């Protein structure tokens, strides 16, 4: 007769079972035993669990004192809470449901910087970066960076999973110096990069083991370009951008990059309610092509500041 029950299952079997549970069940499972907690909190488990989640849009919104979402049209008196939620667009339901992830006091020193595989990258006080894992409610602080000026702050511009090591890394810069921070069992001190270039302050788009940023004329003295960072070689390179006029053009505004069906894509909103989309059809040859035009029923000029693709 078999003895021991489910708590005596092989570690690989337990891992496969936990990977298929909803996040609330994973949190409860950590209290079953030391073995279950060890499995559910390992970095490799967290990475595998995050990758299995469906594609979602991360949304920012405010909650009033009663915990109710504050409408965009309602003036905010300062007594509210900043909230982060997720919307699953793969669902078959007609009404999209916003899944709460975390909330924190607004107007404070805590700021959300980037996302990767469902993990959230925060900065506290403009100096200390940490990763919040919603599935396990874990917080992992990254190594501190040297800051000499009281006006300087840490700018996280890339959050990605390093394929060779499996650890999560952050590309950031402070006082015109670039660093790579690692989160994992073998993480050490910040690693300083030799390159020093003009850099945007928003996170890059991860694709093909690289991070990508669309640099417009108002952000750089160079012509419009795409800046790419190879996360394996830790090197920057310049790529040809699509033929999209820079921000502030009389024809297009708010150009930005994103991933679409495994390809690098760029969109720009026209003065009339249209959004054009270009795709990088041949990544190696840097060959762009116009892909489609979307007619919008609402003004999405602030979309970039409100919604960010996680996967």
């Amino acid at each position: 007769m078999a003895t021991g029950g489910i708590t005596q299952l092989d570690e690989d079997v337990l891992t496969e079972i936990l990977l298929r549970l909803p996040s609330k069940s994973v949190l409860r499972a950590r209290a079953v035993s030391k073995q279950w907690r060890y499995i559910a909190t390992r970095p490799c488990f967290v990475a595998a669990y995050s990758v299995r989640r469906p594609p979602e849009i991360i949304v920012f919104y405010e909650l009033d004192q009663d915990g109710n979402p504050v409408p965009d049209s309602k003036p905010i008196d300062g007594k509210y809470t900043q909230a982060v939620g997720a919307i699953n667009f793969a669902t078959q339901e007609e009404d999209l449901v916003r899944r709460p992830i975390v909330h924190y006091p607004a107007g404070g020193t805590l700021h959300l910087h980037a996302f990767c595989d469902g993990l959230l990258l925060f900065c506290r006080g403009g100096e200390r970066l940490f990763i919040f894992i919603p599935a396990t409610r874990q917080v992992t602080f990254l190594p501190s960076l040297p800051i000499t000026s009281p006006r300087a702050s840490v700018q996280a511009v890339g959050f990605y999973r390093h394929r060779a090591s499996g650890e999560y890394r952050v590309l950031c810069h402070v006082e015109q110096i670039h660093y790579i921070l690692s989160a994992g069992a073998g993480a050490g001190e910040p690693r300083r990069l030799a390159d020093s270039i003009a850099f945007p302050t928003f996170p890059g788009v991860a694709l093909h083991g690289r991070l990508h940023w669309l640099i417009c004329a108002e952000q750089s003295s160079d012509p419009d370009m795409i800046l790419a960072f190879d996360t394996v070689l830790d090197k920057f390179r310049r790529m040809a951008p699509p033929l999209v006029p820079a921000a502030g053009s009389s024809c297009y505004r708010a150009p930005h990059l994103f991933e679409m069906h495994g390809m690098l894509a760029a969109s720009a909103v026209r003065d009339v309610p249209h959004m054009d989309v270009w795709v990088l059809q041949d990544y190696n040859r840097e060959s762009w092509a116009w892909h489609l035009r979307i007619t919008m029923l609402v003004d999405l000029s602030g979309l970039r500041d409100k919604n960010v693709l996680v996967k």
Side-chain angles (χ1 to χ4, degrees):
M1 179 181 294
T3 60
I6 191 172
T7 57
Q8 301 301 318
L9 287 176
D10 178 82
E11 184 174 301
D12 292 337
V13 176
L14 280 174
T15 300
E16 289 299 319
I17 293 175
L18 294 176
L19 285 174
R20 288 162 171 78
L21 296 179
S23 57
K24 288 185 178 179
S25 298
V26 174
L27 289 174
R28 296 192 182 109
R30 294 192 303 170
V32 172
S33 67
K34 291 183 178 180
Q35 181 193 23
W36 285 39
R37 181 176 180 84
Y38 168 75
I39 293 174
T41 56
R42 286 186 302 174
C44 59
F45 174 86
V46 172
Y49 187 85
S50 300
V51 170
R52 283 174 174 262
R53 295 202 59 83
E56 294 178 320
I57 291 287
I58 294 296
V59 294
F60 307 93
Y61 54 99
E62 287 80 32
L63 300 175
D64 59 22
Q65 298 183 37
D66 298 325
N68 300 315
V70 179
D72 293 337
S73 58
K74 180 180 178 180
I76 299 176
D77 58 6
K79 299 179 180 180
Y80 65 98
T81 299
Q82 185 74 49
V84 181
I87 298 178
N88 179 9
F89 280 84
T91 180
Q92 300 298 321
E93 301 292 335
E94 293 185 1
D95 297 329
L96 298 176
V97 179
R98 181 169 53 196
R99 177 176 60 87
I101 296 179
V102 66
H103 61 268
Y104 50 93
T109 61
L110 193 63
H111 299 282
L112 182 61
H113 274 253
F115 317 85
C116 180
D117 294 342
L119 310 185
L120 309 181
L121 178 66
F122 284 91
C123 186
R124 187 181 67 182
E127 298 181 358
R128 194 71 189 273
L129 295 169
F130 66 89
I131 298 173
F132 174 68
I133 307 171
T136 59
R137 315 300 292 183
Q138 289 176 270
V139 173
T140 301
F141 280 92
L142 298 175
S144 300
L145 290 171
I147 299 178
T148 59
S149 171
R151 295 184 178 182
S153 62
V154 177
Q155 297 291 337
V157 294
F159 183 28
Y160 58 95
R161 186 185 181 197
H162 189 248
R163 290 184 295 182
S165 64
E167 63 187 15
Y168 286 94
R169 294 184 176 182
V170 177
L171 173 65
C172 56
H173 66 87
V174 57
E175 299 180 306
Q176 305 302 318
I177 301 175
H178 301 86
Y179 298 90
I180 291 181
L181 307 180
S182 300
E189 294 299 313
R191 183 153 48 87
R192 178 174 176 174
L193 299 182
D195 292 340
S196 180
I197 55 179
F199 221 87
T201 58
F202 51 88
V205 177
L207 185 67
H208 302 319
R210 297 179 178 87
L211 300 174
H212 306 81
W213 301 265
L214 179 62
I215 310 297
C216 297
E218 64 180 7
Q219 299 167 331
S220 172
S221 58
D222 295 333
D224 293 357
M225 65 174 180
I226 290 177
L227 185 65
F229 176 75
D230 191 314
T231 60
V232 176
L233 302 177
D234 293 342
K235 295 290 184 181
F236 292 99
R237 59 170 289 205
R238 289 170 170 79
M239 298 177 60
L243 297 177
V244 181
S249 168
S250 59
C251 296
Y252 290 93
R253 57 194 171 106
H256 69 281
L257 295 179
F258 59 98
E259 178 193 352
M260 185 171 68
H261 304 307
M263 294 187 295
L264 192 63
S267 67
V269 180
R270 299 191 63 176
D271 291 336
V272 292
H274 293 135
M275 175 185 289
D276 285 338
V277 177
W278 294 259
V279 295
L280 187 57
Q281 290 184 326
D282 191 322
Y283 189 90
N284 294 325
R285 295 184 179 181
E286 302 180 14
S287 175
W288 289 88
W290 181 85
H291 184 61
L292 58 87
R293 174 170 294 173
I294 302 172
T295 300
M296 300 177 297
L297 301 179
V298 295
D299 183 9
L300 299 181
S301 59
L303 181 64
R304 181 179 182 176
D305 298 327
K306 291 292 183 180
N307 302 295
V308 181
L309 270 174
V310 175
K311 290 171 58 180

